[in-house]
Amino acid sequence: MQGEDQNLDAAIESLLNVEKQMRMAGEVAGTKKAVIDIVELCYNARAWKTLNDQIVLLSKRRGQLKQAVTAMVQKAMQYIDETPDLDTKIELIKTLNSVSAGKIYVEIERARLIKKLAKIKEEQGLIAEAADLMQEIAVETFGAMAKTEKIAFILEQVRLCLDRQDYVRAQILSRKISPRVFDADSSKEKKKPKEGNNIVEEAPADIPSLLELKRIYYELMIRYHSFHNDYMEICRSYKAIYDIPSVKEDPAQWIPVLRKICWYLVLSPHDPMQSSLLNATLEDKNLSEISNFRLLLKQLVTMEVIQWTSLWEMFKDEFENEKNFLGGSLGTKAAEDLKLRIIEHNILVVSKYYSRITLKRLADLLCLSIQEAEKHLSDMVVSKALVAKVDRPNEVICFQTAKDSNDILNSWAMNLEKLLDLVEKSCHQIHKETMVHKAVLKA
C-alpha cells in the first residue's frame, strides 16, 4: 500500500513538472491535459484526500490558466457521485466550491455544486442551512447559464424558503422570474445561442422543460398565497396551470384544477378581476363536465339573493371532498369565507334593487341578526365595495350616492333635453299625419 502511495506521489510530481512547463509556456491545451491527468490519476487510485489537496494546489499555482481551472473543476465534478461515502462526497464538493468561489469563469459549476450540497443538507433535515447555501448564488446574473437551468435554480431557492416558512424572502426570490418567460416560444429561443460575449450552455438533462417549470412555479405560488389566504391570486395560479397544454388534454388532470378555480373564484372578494374571471370560466366548455360547479358560478352571476343554508346543503359534500383532490383542502378559514362571500353577494343584490331599505328588512333578506347585517354592510362600505349611508335612529339604509349641485344640474339638463326631443318628435309625427289626412281629403 505504501509502495502504491509512493508511485502515486512520484507520478503526480512528474505531471506537476509537465504542468509547470506548459503553464510557463502559455500552452492552454498542454496545461489542461496535465491538470486533467493529475485529477484522473488520483481518482483511479481512489486517493480522495490527495485529489482534494491537488485540486487546491493546482488552482493556487502562479499564473494558472482559466481554461485549466475550468477543465479541472468540470472533471472533478464527474467524480462526486463516485465517492465511497457521504463525508468524502461533502469534502470534495466543499473543496471544489472553495476553488471556484469568486471566479466568474466557473460560476455555473459553483452554482451546480452549491445545489448538490444544499440537497445533501436538506436530506439531513437541515432545511435552514440548505436555504442559506442556495441564497448565496445569484444565478440571474449568469450570462452563460441556460434559461431553464436559471429558472429551476431560482424555483429551488423559493421552495426551500417556503419549507423554512420564510415567506418574505420567498416572495422576493419569486419576483426574479417573470411569468411571461413561460409563454416564450421555444422555437425562437434556439436562434439566440449567445448572450453578450458568452455562448449560452445547454441545460443538464435533469433540468425540467419550460412547461414543467411553469407548473412548478405556479404550485409554489399557490403555497405562498395560501399562507396569506389570497384567494384571487391562488385562483389565477390554478388558471395558469389549467392553460398548460398537457393539463388541458388530460381530463384526469384538468378536472381537479378546474374545481379549484371554481372554488377560489367563489371565495375571492367581489372586484372587476373576479367578475371578469368568473364570466370567462362560465364560458369554458369543460365546465359542463362538472355541472355542480357551473350551477354554483351561475348563482353568483345571477343578481338574486342566495339562501346560505340551501347552498351549503347542496355543496357541503363537494366542499369537504376537495381535500381528496389535487392541492388538498381549501384552507381552515375557507368555510367562513364562503359564507362571508355569499353575504356580500346578497348585500350587492339588495343595493341594486333598493335605493332605501330598513335595517330589519335587510337582516331578514340576509338571514342574519340586525347587528351582523350592519357589521357586514359597514365592512363593505369601508372596503369601497359599495356606497351606503345608515340612518341609525330611524334604522334606514340609503344606497344612493349624495350628488353635488353640478351633478343635479347636469341630470336635470339631460332630462330636459330628452323631454324637448320627445316633444319635437311628437310634433313631427302630428304634422306628418295632418299632411297625409289633407292629401286623402283632396283626393
Side-chain angles (χ1 to χ4, degrees), residues 26 76 100 128 132 175 228 237 246 270 279 281 334 377:
S100 54
D132 290 338
R175 283 181 176 167
H228 296 286
S237 298
S246 60
H270 180 80
N279 288 309
T281 309
L377 179 70

Side-chain angles (χ1 to χ4, degrees), residues 257-268:
V257 176
L258 192 55
R259 284 172 67 102
K260 282 286 190 286
I261 291 169
C262 293
W263 276 122
Y264 284 114
L265 265 175
V266 176
L267 288 165
S268 301

Side-chain angles (χ1 to χ4, degrees), residues 289-381:
E289 298 283 324
I290 44 174
S291 52
N292 268 8
F293 288 88
R294 187 179 187 82
L295 186 67
L296 177 66
L297 296 188
K298 206 85 179 140
Q299 280 187 284
L300 278 178
V301 172
T302 311
M303 291 308 274
E304 288 178 11
V305 171
I306 300 169
Q307 289 293 327
W308 163 249
T309 46
S310 58
L311 181 97
W312 184 240
E313 273 174 32
M314 193 186 294
F315 291 100
K316 188 181 179 184
D317 293 341
E318 293 281 11
F319 187 86
E320 285 169 358
N321 272 349
E322 207 57 43
K323 62 177 178 285
N324 304 322
F325 287 91
L326 169 117
S329 67
L330 299 165
T332 49
K333 281 178 77 239
E336 296 167 38
D337 288 336
L338 180 62
K339 187 176 182 181
L340 183 63
R341 295 295 164 256
I342 299 302
I343 291 167
E344 286 175 1
H345 167 82
N346 290 345
I347 291 173
L348 284 169
V349 170
V350 170
S351 73
K352 189 174 173 66
Y353 291 114
Y354 289 83
S355 57
R356 284 162 65 83
I357 188 171
T358 62
L359 204 51
K360 187 177 183 307
R361 177 70 181 133
L362 178 69
D364 290 343
L365 286 169
L366 299 179
C367 304
L368 298 170
S369 68
I370 290 174
Q371 287 80 10
E372 283 179 312
E374 191 180 348
K375 180 189 173 294
H376 289 302
L377 179 70
S378 304
D379 289 343
M380 287 186 77
V381 171

Side-chain angles (χ1 to χ4, degrees), residues 154 158 166-177 224:
I154 295 169
V158 174
D166 186 350
Y167 292 97
V168 175
R169 195 167 269 112
Q171 186 195 26
I172 293 165
L173 289 166
S174 70
R175 283 181 176 167
K176 290 180 180 179
I177 301 171
Y224 171 74

